[in-house]
Amino acid sequence: MKTNILVVDDDKSIRNLIKVYLENEGYNIVEASNGAEALIMINENNFDLVILDVMMPVLDGISACMKIRESYTMPIIFLSAKDEEIHKIEGLTVGADDYIAKPFGSMELIARVKAQLRRYKKFNAEPQNNSIVTIEDLTINFDTHEVTVSGDKIKLTPKEFDILECLAKNKGVVFSVQKLYETIWNDKFAVSDTSIVVHITNLRQKIELDPKNPKYIKTVWGVGYKI
C-alpha cells in the first residue's frame, strides 16, 4: 500500500515541485490550496503525513495544525518562507513535528519526510509489549500512547510522546540535547536547533504541576535532561 501525503500550499508551483520530488520516491500525493481544504480532505481520507504551509488564505497553517491535532497524530511538517526563530517555535508549539524553510532542496525535503514516516510507522506497526510505566502520579502506556497525571488524560503531540517515552524508558539516564534529538529524529543535530528545548517546555506545561519546578523532567545543568 502506498504512503499517502497531503501537501497544503496556496502556491501551485510549490505544490507541483513537492509532488514531483515525492512521487519520484513512490509516495502518493494529494494537494490542497489552504487549511480549510486540508481539513476536509483529512476528515475524508487517511494520510500518513501532512506538509503544511504557514501563510495561506482562508485558513492559515498554524490554525489548521491546531485543528488537525485535535483528532489526528500523523506527522506534520511546516513549510514557510519565514525562517525566523519565532515562527519555528510557534509551529512546534501547536503540534508540528518538523519545519522546513523555503527555498528548500529536494534532498532535504525527502530526507525529512522519510525520517518522520519512519518514526510514525514504527510506533503504529510494532507492538510495544503493553508496557506501562508509573512515576509518582505520572503514568505512561507505551502500547496505547496514553499519558495520565493523577488520573487525568494528557494530550501530547507525537514528538512530545517520543521524548517522554525515551526519557521514561531510560529513567535516571541524562540525555544531552544532541543525543535526545538524534535519538528521536534519527537525524544529525544542528547546534542552532531549538526543537528539543521547545518540546521539553511544552511537555512540562502539560505534565508538571509547576513547570518552573518540575518533578518529572529534570534539567541537569550543562548536561541535559532526565526523568
Side-chain angles (χ1 to χ4, degrees):
M1 184 180 294
K2 275 195 172 185
T3 297
N4 295 317
I5 297 176
L6 177 62
V7 177
V8 190
D9 197 306
D10 60 318
D11 188 330
K12 185 172 178 57
S13 64
I14 295 293
R15 298 200 309 269
N16 289 340
L17 185 64
I18 294 174
K19 184 174 183 178
V20 169
Y21 288 160
L22 297 183
E23 283 188 340
N24 285 339
E25 296 296 315
Y27 300 123
N28 181 53
I29 306 302
V30 178
E31 301 176 46
S33 61
N34 58 64
E37 284 184 13
L39 292 176
I40 294 172
M41 292 181 180
I42 288 170
N43 288 330
E44 295 178 350
N45 302 275
N46 293 319
F47 291 104
D48 300 285
L49 182 142
V50 177
I51 297 175
L52 189 61
D53 187 35
V54 173
M55 301 299 293
M56 294 183 292
V58 185
L59 186 68
D60 63 85
I62 297 292
S63 300
C65 182
M66 293 172 66
K67 294 293 293 183
I68 293 169
R69 281 291 176 250
E70 290 178 4
S71 305
Y72 301 96
T73 61
M74 81 284 277
I76 296 175
I77 298 177
F78 266 133
L79 191 67
S80 177
K82 294 186 175 181
D83 195 25
E84 292 90 345
E85 193 71 14
I86 185 64
H87 297 290
K88 181 174 183 179
I89 292 173
E90 184 178 13
L92 294 173
T93 299
V94 298
D97 298 282
D98 204 352
Y99 190 107
I100 302 177
K102 301 175 186 177
F104 53 86
S106 62
M107 298 302 291
E108 178 187 13
L109 175 70
I110 292 167
R112 289 179 181 269
V113 165
K114 287 184 175 180
Q116 292 300 327
L117 287 171
R118 276 196 302 269
R119 292 203 60 79
Y120 181 64
K121 291 185 176 182
K122 174 182 176 182
F123 284 115
N124 281 274
E126 294 181 4
Q128 302 297 311
N129 299 321
N130 297 313
S131 300
I132 297 177
V133 168
T134 299
I135 305 167
E136 297 188 33
D137 296 326
L138 172 67
T139 300
I140 309 163
N141 188 318
F142 302 123
D143 183 48
T144 63
H145 281 212
E146 292 182 336
V147 176
T148 62
V149 176
S150 300
D152 296 326
K153 286 188 178 181
I154 307 298
K155 192 169 184 178
L156 302 182
T157 68
K159 275 294 183 290
E160 289 168 359
F161 185 89
D162 290 349
I163 292 170
L164 184 62
E165 178 181 24
C166 180
L167 294 174
K169 284 186 173 179
N170 297 277
K171 188 178 178 182
V173 177
V174 180
F175 279 76
S176 66
V177 170
Q178 178 177 346
K179 183 178 178 182
L180 199 52
Y181 181 94
E182 292 178 351
T183 299
I184 301 300
W185 270 262
N186 194 28
D187 196 7
K188 188 174 181 180
F189 175 71
V191 175
S192 60
D193 198 304
T194 59
S195 303
I196 290 294
V197 175
V198 172
H199 283 304
I200 291 288
T201 299
N202 294 340
L203 260 174
R204 284 174 169 164
Q205 291 289 337
K206 293 179 179 182
I207 69 173
E208 302 282 2
L209 182 62
D210 182 2
K212 294 183 178 180
N213 296 287
K215 70 175 183 177
Y216 299 122
I217 301 178
K218 301 284 189 179
T219 299
V220 181
W221 295 108
V223 184
Y225 302 98
K226 71 173 183 177
I227 283 183

